Amino acid sequence: RHFLDRWGPDLLNAAYSFKPQSTVGNVTNFGLRRIYNDLRHLGRVRPAAQVHDSLLNEHEWGSVDELAEQILRVDRHLTSVCHYHGDDFILRREWKIGQAWGEGGMTELAWSTPDELVEALKRWLDS
């Protein structure tokens, strides 16, 4: 990529942020492709929107365990090992869950184990 704008802070910021920003977009797009290729195994999950560094999926589910399985499978598809100057790392993913998109009712969803995810989903449903 060549940065040909006028020399100054805006040009330097664009150049500095290009690699990390494009990596986030690429990881998201690669994950979306893996989700799309796995839709027959994901149950009733429908990708609904992709905006640079985020995905919106619609999930239909019959039980909390089924929803947790769907979320864990989607999360695995969004996990890509990145390599930079000999170091390997995985970009952190943030999850939000809600009944309707864009209505302010989204709740942060965090877990370390599948059991913690099930418990977080139960708390969300009880709220």
Side-chain angles (χ1 to χ4, degrees):
R1 170 99 159 78
H2 294 279
F3 296 90
L4 303 174
D5 206 350
R6 183 180 308 177
W7 186 263
D10 291 342
L11 176 68
L12 293 174
N13 286 336
Y16 292 143
S17 63
F18 173 75
K19 187 70 167 180
Q21 288 296 322
S22 64
T23 300
V24 169
N26 287 338
V27 166
T28 302
N29 288 334
F30 293 145
L32 180 58
R33 182 181 305 147
R34 289 188 293 266
I35 291 166
Y36 178 80
N37 289 332
D38 193 32
L39 284 178
R40 70 180 183 280
H41 295 111
L42 277 167
R44 298 168 291 174
V45 175
R46 287 181 304 282
Q50 184 273 349
V51 181
H52 177 62
D53 65 350
S54 66
L55 296 178
L56 172 70
N57 294 318
E58 295 177 350
H59 293 252
E60 291 181 35
W61 42 277
S63 69
V64 171
D65 289 330
E66 180 184 359
L67 178 58
E69 287 175 26
Q70 291 174 355
I71 290 171
L72 290 169
R73 193 163 184 130
V74 167
D75 191 61
R76 280 192 300 273
H77 289 313
L78 294 171
T79 301
S80 292
V81 177
C82 299
H83 313 282
Y84 186 73
H85 290 287
D87 291 324
D88 295 343
F89 60 95
I90 295 173
L91 296 176
R92 186 172 61 88
R93 293 161 315 283
E94 296 176 355
W95 281 81
K96 292 182 183 177
I97 191 166
Q99 295 290 334
W101 181 39
E103 298 196 11
M106 303 299 282
T107 300
E108 295 283 335
L109 190 60
W111 70 90
S112 297
T113 66
D115 290 338
E116 286 181 13
L117 175 57
V118 169
E119 291 306 313
L121 291 170
K122 287 178 182 176
R123 284 191 302 275
W124 170 68
L125 288 169
D126 290 340
S127 62

